[in-house]
Amino acid sequence: MPMTLMSNYARLPVTFVKGEGAWLWDTQGTRYLDAIAGIAVCGLGHAHPAITTAICQQAQQLLHTSNLYGIAHQQALADALIQITNLDRAFFCNSGAEANEAAIKIARLYGHSRGIDLPTIIVTEGSFHGRTLATLTATGNPKMQAGFAPLMPGFIRVPYNDIDAIAQLAEQHSEIVAILVEPVTGEGGIVIPDPDYLLNLRTLCDRHQWLLMLDEIQTGMGRTGQWFAYQETGILPDVLSLAKGLGNGVPIGACLARGPAAAIFQPGHHGSTFGGNPLVCRVALAVIQTIEQENLLPRVQALSQRFYDGFSKALASISGVRKIRVKGLMIGIELDRPGYPLMSKALEHRLLINVTAERVIRLLPPLIISDAQADEIITTVSQLLREFFNSPVIH
Ligand SMILES: *Cc1c(COP(=O)(O)O)cnc(C)c1O
């Protein structure tokens, strides 16, 4: 094939042309079970009728006018998200990285408004916040950062799930204005922090007047069995970034905020040409309505238990499996060695899985999968792992 695409992706040798629910079909007409949902994007699966209808109807009416004018669907989506989250205001953009960029800009304005000249944001090891320069700097993965120096000033890093490290920083630095953190790491390997981690972060932020900024781009929109992962803890963040599952495949991101953080942006401070256009907002509204109508949050909780029980039983006798971590429909199976070959092995078994942080099988199935499909994922992954650990290690 001619090299007309840049080489920044290591793609698997398959191309999909059609989808329905949790199924995908490739160019040969072969059917695959999708346990990754476009990386937590297609929560409602592929070609959901409610989403298809929303796209078609909106395309017949109006796609885009720009933020020079009022946009009814953008206002309606903001209302819906504010009602779900208990936050105050929304800004719309086109991706997760952009949602975090908005959060970072809010934190900097907030810092300057408090007389802090070099506003600094606490971020964590093993985090992922995006690929733009600021969000790459925030990302706690030296491999992704390699070659892109100079990175951005204004970030300071601590280990994930380590409250003491942050409490110590508070003593040493007077320029800290915010903490940016994922409630469960996604790319970092489905690491689930202590149950009181967010609550302790909230307490520290209140004590020092820092903004608590949660990156729920992967954990949000029902993925963990709540609309947003923080809702299980009883706290509220000051800033919340979302994207991925919000549009079920149309590109949309959002930065929500509460209190002083919500009132920081003034005309001219930030913007996006495409951000929050009539099409994507209409679709995101349909996503929210469908999650409600199909009562998917309790369904995710039930499926979560099914995966946890199923994998615990099926993988118990495989000594190369170190840990099974499940939060809603974020499933991580940590191995004792690099697991990347498992992705192409799974493909041969007509199953789409992902491996992240080198040793962690990551499953992010659509929220609409059936019990039978969940069981098929458990059976196939377990079979793959039995084969993988019986085979000699190839270096
Ligand atoms: C995917 C992801 C991002 C980046 O989103 P893009 O849409 O790829 O820019 C940021 N944070 C988290 C937690 C993510 O999972």
Side-chain angles (χ1 to χ4, degrees):
M1 265 195 274
M3 296 266 284
T4 50
L5 286 168
M6 291 194 188
S7 306
N8 54 318
Y9 298 112
R11 296 175 198 271
L12 289 163
V14 66
T15 301
F16 298 108
V17 291
K18 195 180 98 154
E20 192 187 318
W23 299 112
L24 280 169
W25 285 265
D26 70 8
T27 44
Q28 314 295 308
T30 305
R31 193 179 77 164
Y32 297 76
L33 184 54
D34 184 2
I36 194 70
I39 320 185
V41 168
C42 303
L44 303 178
H46 304 285
H48 191 293
I51 302 308
T52 306
T53 302
I55 293 170
C56 293
Q57 287 184 349
Q58 193 56 42
Q60 286 170 335
Q61 281 179 10
L62 186 67
L63 290 182
H64 179 87
T65 51
S66 93
N67 286 294
L68 294 170
Y69 314 105
I71 301 172
H73 292 313
Q74 186 183 116
Q75 181 62 57
L77 179 59
D79 294 349
L81 286 170
I82 290 315
Q83 211 207 326
I84 286 171
T85 58
N86 274 319
L87 304 182
D88 290 336
R89 297 199 198 186
F91 163 79
F92 292 102
C93 51
N94 316 286
S95 68
E98 284 174 81
N100 283 333
E101 287 279 345
I104 292 163
K105 286 180 76 173
I106 286 172
R108 288 193 169 182
L109 283 176
Y110 171 78
H112 288 296
S113 78
R114 296 184 47 212
I116 294 170
D117 290 335
L118 296 170
T120 300
I121 299 170
I122 298 177
V123 291
T124 67
E125 287 165 12
S127 63
F128 181 75
H129 298 297
R131 301 290 200 151
T132 61
L133 274 170
T135 60
L136 177 66
T137 307
T139 290
N141 182 334
K143 274 190 196 155
M144 288 182 190
Q145 293 173 337
F148 295 108
L151 295 172
M152 302 287 290
F155 294 92
I156 187 161
R157 196 171 309 284
V158 296
Y160 190 62
N161 194 24
D162 186 340
I163 278 289
D164 293 341
I166 298 176
Q168 269 177 18
L169 273 185
E171 309 300 317
Q172 299 156 5
H173 289 260
S174 54
E175 313 260 79
I176 294 167
V177 296
I179 299 175
L180 173 64
V181 71
E182 294 162 86
V184 174
T185 72
E187 308 302 304
I190 317 294
V191 179
I192 304 166
D194 297 338
D196 57 359
Y197 185 51
L198 290 190
L199 181 64
N200 288 333
L201 289 178
R202 180 71 268 172
T203 306
L204 274 174
C205 285
D206 288 342
R207 186 176 304 153
H208 300 285
Q209 288 178 277
W210 300 339
L211 301 178
L212 178 58
M213 311 203 296
L214 295 183
D215 179 344
E216 293 232 29
I217 289 161
Q218 194 157 150
T219 53
M221 295 306 291
R223 178 60 49 191
T224 67
Q226 308 285 335
W227 281 108
F228 294 94
Y230 74 81
Q231 291 174 321
E232 209 184 82
T233 70
I235 63 131
L236 286 178
D238 300 294
V239 178
L240 181 73
S241 18
L242 50 158
K244 292 203 165 99
L246 179 58
N248 209 63
V250 302
I252 177 169
C255 179
L256 311 188
R258 179 177 71 95
I264 285 248
F265 278 156
Q266 297 303 317
H269 273 145
H270 198 46
S272 163
T273 298
F274 294 138
N277 83 16
L279 177 72
V280 295
C281 290
R282 170 77 185 271
V283 175
L285 276 164
V287 170
I288 291 172
Q289 277 160 13
T290 306
I291 291 176
E292 273 164 359
Q293 275 162 15
E294 298 189 6
N295 207 13
L296 287 177
L297 302 182
R299 173 69 187 149
V300 168
Q301 293 165 21
L303 280 164
S304 181
Q305 193 65 45
R306 191 179 191 93
F307 273 108
Y308 186 78
D309 294 343
F311 274 127
S312 299
K313 200 165 157 221
L315 302 180
S317 62
I318 304 178
S319 63
V321 173
R322 283 252 173 92
K323 256 201 175 112
I324 301 162
R325 295 189 287 266
V326 179
K327 185 78 182 174
L329 285 180
M330 300 179 83
I331 299 148
I333 302 169
E334 187 178 322
L335 312 177
D336 67 356
R337 68 199 68 179
Y340 291 124
L342 282 160
M343 286 192 282
S344 32
K345 283 278 169 235
L347 205 58
E348 290 168 20
H349 286 74
R350 313 290 177 238
L351 176 68
L352 306 186
I353 66 166
N354 181 250
V355 173
T356 190
E358 224 163 36
R359 291 158 189 256
V360 182
I361 297 179
R362 174 175 55 164
L363 307 176
L364 302 161
L367 317 185
I368 49 82
I369 56 163
S370 66
D371 287 348
Q373 288 167 330
D375 293 345
E376 186 175 332
I377 293 169
I378 296 166
T379 308
T380 308
V381 169
S382 306
Q383 187 190 337
L384 280 169
L385 281 170
R386 274 193 300 274
E387 288 167 15
F388 184 65
F389 285 108
N390 286 335
S391 62
V393 186
I394 301 154
H395 291 281

